[in-house]
């Protein structure tokens, strides 16, 4: 009775905070490429978002290359005219560990190679190159990698290789547990695992985790079926019994994965699976076991060694003993370096004469590429806009990585201290560029070489270019630059070649640049009619630059206007004076008479006042 209130409060607490009843769902983004509206697909009613504002390219109707491809009706393809590099850029992605999967499509209505071959990169790291004949292999109609996304974005890029236009059916970004597929101390956030193979042994149908009713945190993995490793070498086994310890953190394998298996035979006691791989790579191998054979009833009844390319990786494997019971999942993981092109996983029985295996996963271990400095990427994007860079340049994604597909015209340098890429050269000469040269060029602080010659760039040479400390070569010749040469160019102490010829520049060449000519620098200022001030150009003494001429003309105009105004004022005042004199002359006789009369009256008044003062001074008269 006393425990009831405690249990009730515990239940209420769990309901309030939703921690005891349900886990938070993983973040999921699925895009139906080329779709104008959101799409739901059977049989799981999966939601695919419409394809809007993520990238360029052209939407089109899709032809699915395989029955395992999502049942979507559109795709997006990227013609070479859009540039060699095209990317889906997805924002507001929570920081975490993700499965990123890309399905490829076909468009049968266009008249070129129906099976395009191209490269795919995620976050600047190339993860896959399509191989000829991929449409005939179900496990090659998509590529998949496990990556950490930490900056709130996901960049998935497609790189043309000259063999048809990349065509993308769908993109999936599925959150997993942060420590999913942890394989040891070498496993860090800078590691990418590319799925090379994922096999469900003894199974006859391809399935995703969702088809297996698997946990969503597993990443909805695709399991390719394999009925046999070789004709007559093994037998399929299956069970409907439940499997313990299957769907556990952090990988959350579906229980049904362990309900089928391949078992070796009396005539072929060893089991061996062989696959093609890229040479000189590291691979993470995950092997899945559950003792589902009714003939094995206890530990010690089945013991075998596991060999990778002939080398023992696990010795004396006893599934019942190591898992703790029959019908209990056991997962073994190892990392190997493969020097050749073949990877062979072998199981050699030691007790019980037969080996068994339920599933195999093989991942290629990739080290994520270091990215280009974000400030320099933004500066290049500003330059792209200001110069109206043609689409054919394909300045999308990261300028320097993947290293197999850098941006055209941008030269990269890796700085080991900061572990970042920087831009140290721009080679954009004779590319039909228009627009203007932006001040943001100064944000490319590591530039040593700028060549924008033979274009149609207009406007002023930006003064900020003088703040790039290591600039050695600046070639802006044969454009339409105007105005004066910025004084700041004289601050470029490393500058050895400066070509400003063939423009419309004017004014005095900065004295600092003129002095540099004495120290072996090569400067060319010819074909600029308005420049002056150094040997080879006209002197600046009696000659005026266009700006100076405009200033003088403006000052002269203002002075002339003031003179006109003053003259008008003087003339107006003179006219008023003359008019007043004329009026005075016409009225002179009358004025004179009035003046005389006034004078007489004043004299009379003066006389009378004089007499009055005399009488007063003499006193009253006593004589009559």
């Amino acid at each position: 009775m006393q425990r009831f209130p405690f249990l009730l409060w515990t239940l209420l607490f769990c309901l309030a905070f939703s921690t005891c009843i349900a886990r938070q769902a993983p973040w999921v983004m699925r895009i139906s490429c080329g779709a104008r509206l959101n799409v739901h697909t059977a049989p799981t009613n999966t939601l695919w978002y419409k394809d809007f504002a993520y990238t360029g390219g052209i939407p089109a109707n899709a032809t699915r290359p395989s029955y395992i491809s999502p049942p979507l009706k559109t795709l997006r393809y990227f013609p070479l005219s859009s540039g060699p590099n095209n990317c889906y850029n997805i924002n507001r992605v929570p920081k975490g560990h993700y499965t990123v999967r890309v399905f490829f499509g076909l468009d049968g209505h266009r008249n070129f190679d129906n099976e395009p071959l191209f490269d795919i990169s995620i976050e600047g790291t190339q993860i896959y190159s399509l191989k000829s004949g991929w449409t005939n292999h179900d496990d090659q109609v998509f590529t998949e990698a496990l990556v950490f996304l930490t900056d709130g974005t996901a960049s998935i890029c497609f790189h043309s290789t000259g063999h048809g236009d990349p065509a993308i059916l769908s993109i999936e970004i599925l959150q997993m547990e942060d420590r999913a597929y942890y394989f040891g101390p070498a496993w860090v956030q800078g590691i990418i695992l590319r799925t090379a193979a994922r096999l469900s042994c003894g199974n006859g149908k391809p399935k995703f985790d969702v088809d297996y009713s698997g946990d969503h945190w597993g990443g909805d993995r695709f399991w390719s079926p394999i009925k046999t490793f070789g004709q007559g070498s093994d037998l399929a086994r299956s069970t409907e019994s439940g499997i313990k310890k299957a769907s556990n953190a952090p990988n959350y394998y579906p229980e049904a994965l362990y309900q089928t298996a391949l078992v070796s035979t009396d005539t072929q006691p060893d089991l061996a699976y062989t696959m093609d791989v890229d040479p000189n790579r590291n691979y993470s191998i995950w092997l899945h076991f559950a003792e589902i054979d009714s003939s094995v009833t206890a530990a010690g009844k089945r013991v075998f060694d596991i060999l990778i390319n002939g080398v023992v990786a696990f010795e004396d494997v006893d599934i019942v003993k190591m898992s703790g019971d029959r019908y209990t999942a056991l997962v073994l993981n190892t990392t190997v370096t493969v020097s050749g092109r073949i990877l062979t996983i072998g199981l050699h029985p030691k007790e019980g004469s037969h080996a068994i295996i339920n599933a195999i996963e093989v991942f290629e271990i990739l080290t994520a590429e270091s990215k280009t400095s974000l400030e320099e990427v933004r500066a290049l994007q500003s330059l792209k806009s200001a110069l109206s860079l043609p689409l054919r340049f394909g300045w999308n994604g990261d300028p320097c990585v993947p290293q197999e597909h850098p941006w055209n015209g941008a030269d990269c340098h890796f700085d080991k201290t900061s572990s970042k890429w920087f831009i140290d050269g721009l080679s954009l000469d004779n590319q039909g560029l228009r627009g203007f040269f932006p001040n943001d060029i100064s944000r490319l602080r590591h530039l040593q070489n700028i060549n924008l010659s033979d274009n149609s760039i207009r406007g002023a040479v930006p003064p900020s270019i003088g703040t790039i400390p290591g600039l050695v070569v600046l070639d802006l010749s044969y454009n339409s630059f105007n105005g004066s040469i910025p004084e700041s160019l004289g601050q470029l102490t490393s500058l050895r070649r400066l070509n400003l010829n063939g423009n419309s520049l004017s004014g005095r060449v900065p004295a600092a640049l003129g002095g540099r000519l004495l120290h072996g620098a090569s400067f060319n200022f010819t074909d600029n009619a308005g420049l002056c001030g150094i040997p080879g150009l006209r002197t600046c003494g009696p000659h005026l630059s266009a700006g100076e001429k405009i200033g003088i003309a403006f000052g002269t105009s203002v002075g002339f206007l003031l003179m006109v105004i003053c003259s008008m004022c003087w003339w107006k005042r003179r006219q008023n004076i003359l008019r007043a004199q004329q009026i005075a002359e016409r009225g002179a006789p009358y004025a004179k008479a009035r003046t005389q009369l006034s004078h007489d009256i004043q004299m009379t008044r003066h006389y009378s006042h004089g007499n009055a003062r005399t009488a007063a001074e003499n006193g009253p008269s006593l004589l009559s």
Side-chain angles (χ1 to χ4, degrees):
M1 294 295 294
Q2 293 180 350
R3 294 182 59 191
F4 179 74
F6 173 78
L7 294 174
L8 179 61
W9 281 110
T10 301
L11 179 59
L12 291 175
F13 179 85
C14 292
L15 288 171
F17 292 94
S18 300
T19 57
C20 300
I21 296 181
R23 289 167 32 243
Q24 179 184 2
W27 191 88
V28 173
M29 167 65 77
R30 289 183 170 95
I31 300 173
S32 175
C33 299
R36 298 177 182 271
L37 300 172
N38 292 343
V39 180
H40 290 266
T41 56
T44 56
N45 198 37
T46 301
L47 170 62
W48 301 83
Y49 288 99
K50 62 183 178 181
D51 187 1
F52 177 74
Y54 296 116
T55 186
I58 301 174
N61 293 327
T63 299
R64 294 169 60 199
S66 168
Y67 67 96
I68 71 165
S69 301
L72 302 172
K73 298 181 180 179
T74 60
L75 56 71
R76 185 174 292 272
Y77 71 93
F78 301 94
L80 193 56
S81 58
S82 297
N85 305 314
N86 289 274
C87 304
Y88 271 79
N89 297 303
I90 301 164
N91 299 319
R92 295 187 294 277
V93 180
K95 180 179 179 180
H97 194 200
Y98 291 87
T99 293
V100 179
R101 184 162 55 219
V102 180
F103 273 92
F104 318 123
L106 296 171
D107 184 355
H109 298 292
R110 291 180 293 148
N111 295 320
F112 58 81
D113 186 0
N114 208 29
E115 188 183 66
L117 306 179
F118 52 94
D119 296 341
I120 301 97
S121 68
I122 299 175
E123 292 294 293
T125 301
Q126 182 164 314
I127 64 164
Y128 192 62
S129 298
L130 270 74
K131 301 175 178 63
S132 181
W134 62 266
T135 53
N136 299 320
H137 299 85
D138 290 334
D139 58 351
Q140 295 182 24
V141 299
F142 70 93
T143 189
E144 176 185 277
L146 280 58
V147 301
F148 283 92
L149 303 176
T150 58
D151 61 358
T153 65
S155 177
I156 304 165
C157 299
F158 312 103
H159 311 279
S160 297
T161 60
H163 301 280
D165 298 334
I168 313 303
L169 183 71
S170 68
I171 292 175
E172 298 174 81
I173 304 175
L174 312 171
Q175 190 176 11
M176 305 180 69
E177 283 280 356
D178 283 350
R179 291 181 65 82
Y181 291 97
Y182 174 84
F183 58 82
W187 183 94
V188 293
Q189 288 196 2
I191 289 295
I192 295 175
L193 295 180
R194 181 189 69 83
T195 305
R198 185 176 276 131
L199 307 173
S200 176
C201 301
N203 201 340
K205 296 182 179 179
K207 290 189 177 182
F208 291 86
D209 276 1
V210 66
D211 301 318
Y212 274 137
S213 300
D215 192 295
H216 292 301
W217 281 98
D220 195 22
R221 292 157 291 205
F222 171 73
W223 298 92
S224 182
I226 183 166
K227 294 181 179 180
T228 179
F229 290 157
Q231 193 66 35
S233 65
D234 46 40
L235 295 173
R237 291 284 188 271
S238 65
T239 183
E240 295 183 359
S241 300
I243 305 296
K244 299 185 287 289
K245 298 182 182 180
S247 188
N248 292 341
N251 293 351
Y252 296 101
Y253 292 110
E255 180 183 359
L257 181 68
Y258 299 91
Q259 293 177 326
T260 62
L262 286 174
V263 180
S264 60
T265 63
D266 293 336
T267 57
Q268 186 67 43
D270 287 1
L271 281 177
Y273 171 71
T274 299
M275 61 179 289
D276 296 330
V277 295
D278 293 329
N280 303 314
R281 305 291 177 89
N282 293 325
Y283 290 87
S284 179
I285 301 173
W286 299 73
L287 305 173
H288 300 265
F289 304 95
E291 189 52 79
I292 62 172
D293 194 330
S294 58
S295 63
V296 177
T297 58
K301 297 294 185 180
R302 190 199 307 273
V303 180
F304 53 89
D305 292 341
I306 300 175
L307 297 83
I308 308 295
N309 280 354
V311 178
V312 175
F314 299 96
E315 190 174 6
D316 296 332
V317 175
D318 186 332
I319 300 171
V320 176
K321 180 179 178 180
M322 296 172 70
S323 67
D325 199 358
R326 300 169 64 218
Y327 303 102
T328 304
L330 171 68
V331 182
L332 300 179
N333 167 244
T334 187
T335 300
V336 298
T337 300
V338 181
S339 57
R341 294 183 175 276
I342 299 296
L343 173 64
T344 299
I345 301 170
L347 286 75
H348 174 65
K350 299 176 73 173
E351 296 290 341
S353 73
H354 294 163
I356 186 173
I357 189 167
N358 300 75
I360 299 172
E361 293 177 286
V362 180
F363 298 96
E364 181 182 350
I365 301 174
L366 304 173
T367 300
E369 294 265 20
S370 298
K371 295 185 179 181
T372 306
S373 162
L374 182 58
E375 182 179 12
E376 299 211 346
V377 173
R378 290 172 176 168
L380 284 180
Q381 290 170 341
S382 176
L383 187 72
K384 172 184 176 181
S385 176
L387 294 179
S388 301
L389 212 66
L391 289 176
R392 57 183 168 81
F393 272 80
W395 277 21
N396 299 303
D398 190 289
C400 301
V401 293
Q403 296 181 53
E404 299 89 344
H405 300 282
W407 286 5
N408 292 334
D411 301 324
C412 299
H413 169 73
F414 184 69
D415 180 64
K416 293 182 179 179
T417 303
S418 62
S419 295
K420 291 186 179 296
W421 289 90
F422 294 98
I423 308 302
D424 62 3
L426 289 174
S427 302
L428 298 171
D429 53 304
N430 196 25
Q431 296 297 331
L433 304 181
R434 301 181 181 274
F436 62 94
F437 202 11
N439 272 313
D440 280 350
I441 190 68
S442 62
R443 294 162 65 184
L444 298 173
R445 301 285 297 170
H446 298 79
L447 278 176
Q448 298 181 21
N449 176 26
I450 300 176
N451 187 353
L452 299 177
S453 62
D454 293 286
N455 287 293
S456 300
I457 305 169
R458 63 186 186 277
V461 176
S464 63
I465 203 170
T467 64
I468 303 175
L471 196 61
V472 177
V473 176
L474 176 60
D475 191 345
L476 304 180
S477 59
Y478 300 106
N479 278 283
S480 300
F481 287 104
N482 54 37
S484 60
I485 299 176
E487 292 285 343
S488 61
L489 293 191
Q491 303 171 10
L492 298 174
T493 57
S494 299
L495 195 62
R496 291 293 175 267
R497 188 166 81 245
L498 173 63
N499 293 338
L500 296 177
N501 51 301
N503 284 285
S504 300
L505 299 170
S506 59
R508 184 184 298 273
V509 175
L513 289 177
R516 299 283 301 286
L517 291 172
L518 302 176
H519 296 84
S522 173
F523 294 169
N524 191 341
F525 302 107
T526 60
D527 296 327
N528 287 279
L531 287 180
C532 62
I534 63 171
L537 300 177
R538 60 185 176 81
T539 59
C540 294
H543 302 284
L544 299 174
S545 68
E548 291 170 334
K549 291 179 181 179
I550 293 173
I552 292 174
F554 179 76
T556 302
S557 300
V558 172
F560 178 75
L561 182 62
L562 289 174
M563 290 178 60
V564 171
I565 293 173
C566 291
S567 298
M568 291 182 65
C569 291
W570 178 86
W571 182 81
K572 188 76 172 176
R573 187 167 180 270
R574 179 64 181 165
Q575 290 299 314
N576 290 339
I577 293 172
L578 291 175
R579 188 178 297 109
Q581 290 176 347
Q582 291 174 358
I583 293 173
E585 289 175 356
R586 287 196 300 268
Y590 304 100
K592 185 176 181 180
R594 286 195 298 272
T595 302
Q596 184 63 43
L597 177 59
S598 175
H599 177 72
D600 292 345
I601 293 173
Q602 290 176 359
M603 291 298 294
T604 302
R605 289 177 177 173
H606 179 73
Y607 176 78
S608 299
H609 286 298
N611 290 339
R613 286 194 298 273
T614 302
E617 292 171 355
N618 294 333
S621 179
L622 299 176
L623 297 176
S624 55

